[in-house]
Amino acid sequence: AQSVAQPEDQVNVAEGNPLTVKCTYSVSGNPYLFWYVQYPNRGLQFLLKYITGDNLVKGSYGFEAEFNKSQTSFHLKKPSALVSDSALYFCAVRDISSFKTIFGAGTRLFVKA
Amino acid sequence: SQTIHQWPATLVQPVGSPLSLECTVEGTSNPNLYWYRQAAGRGLQLLFYSVGIGQISSEVPQNLSASRPQDRQFILSSKKLLLSDSGFYLCAWSTPGGWGGYTFGSGTRLTVV
């Protein structure tokens, strides 16, 4: 069975500092991995995805994510955080044998000015 | 371009009243459609998904039902709401393979009183 874990409920970072939001996954086949962001009282917005190819994936708003097969991780990163990056971030996984995408519990990111 | 519309944005309903939430997608055909519920601003619970007209799969047995009367229309219903039905409901669509990720609607905040 596929699963995804976001080990941190909350991440705090100062504006201008690099940020990392962690995600680990478990699938039976090749993983298809996604990151989404949610602002208050809004739907989720797609940030980036990993299907195949380069392990470093670049996405919207300056975010990137690194796929690490040996550690089964897909951490979200940004070199310099903005206050406007404060939101709820979801990692999601889908494997080729399953129809469904599984979402993590979410990590709340707070960026302080 | 593809867009997804979900309404209403907020809804306050008494216990025992019926519910109908509607979601429509434009700019694509034969989408996969999904209803999620998000409780307490955190994790997503998949309620229903549909791969075609009249084809509904239920993930969690509960007080809700879904229908897909047209290719790009997905409706979430209840005959009698319970207090526990309160939450943030999100509609989403994907291509049939789903590998490009999901596009979410803006959500409906349902409060059952």
Side-chain angles (χ1 to χ4, degrees), chain A residues 8-10 32 34 36 38 41-46 49 51 88 90 94-96 98-101 103-108, chain B residues 32 34 36 38 40-44 46 49-51 59 88 90 94 96-107 109:
Chain A
E8 304 154 314
D9 284 344
Q10 184 172 309
Y32 296 83
F34 307 87
Y36 294 83
Q38 185 182 31
N41 295 310
R42 301 297 299 274
L44 279 68
Q45 297 178 35
F46 172 83
K49 65 181 179 185
I51 303 296
L88 185 57
F90 289 94
R94 180 170 177 161
D95 73 43
I96 196 169
S98 171
F99 173 82
K100 293 174 286 187
T101 296
F103 287 83
T107 297
R108 198 165 295 280
Chain B
N32 288 349
Y34 312 85
Y36 283 87
Q38 185 178 27
R42 293 309 292 261
L44 299 174
L46 179 62
Y49 65 91
S50 171
V51 298
E59 286 296 297
F88 192 51
L90 290 161
S94 74
W99 315 122
Y102 291 3
T103 300
F104 284 83
S106 54
R109 173 75 59 194

Side-chain angles (χ1 to χ4, degrees), chain A residues 1-3 25-33 50-52 67-70 72-73 92-100, chain B residues 99:
Chain A
Q2 58 190 37
S3 64
Y25 66 89
S26 175
V27 297
S28 55
N30 291 326
Y32 296 83
L33 298 156
Y50 172 84
I51 303 296
T52 187
F67 170 64
N68 188 316
K69 187 173 183 178
S70 62
T72 61
S73 66
V93 65
R94 180 170 177 161
D95 73 43
I96 196 169
S97 63
S98 171
F99 173 82
K100 293 174 286 187
Chain B
W99 315 122

Side-chain angles (χ1 to χ4, degrees), chain B residues 1 14 17 53 55 65 72 80 82 85 94-95 102 107-108 110:
Chain B
S1 63
S17 65
I53 296 174
Q55 300 179 63
S65 62
R72 289 169 288 180
K80 289 186 178 182
L82 306 172
D85 291 324
S94 74
T95 56
Y102 291 3
T108 297
L110 172 66

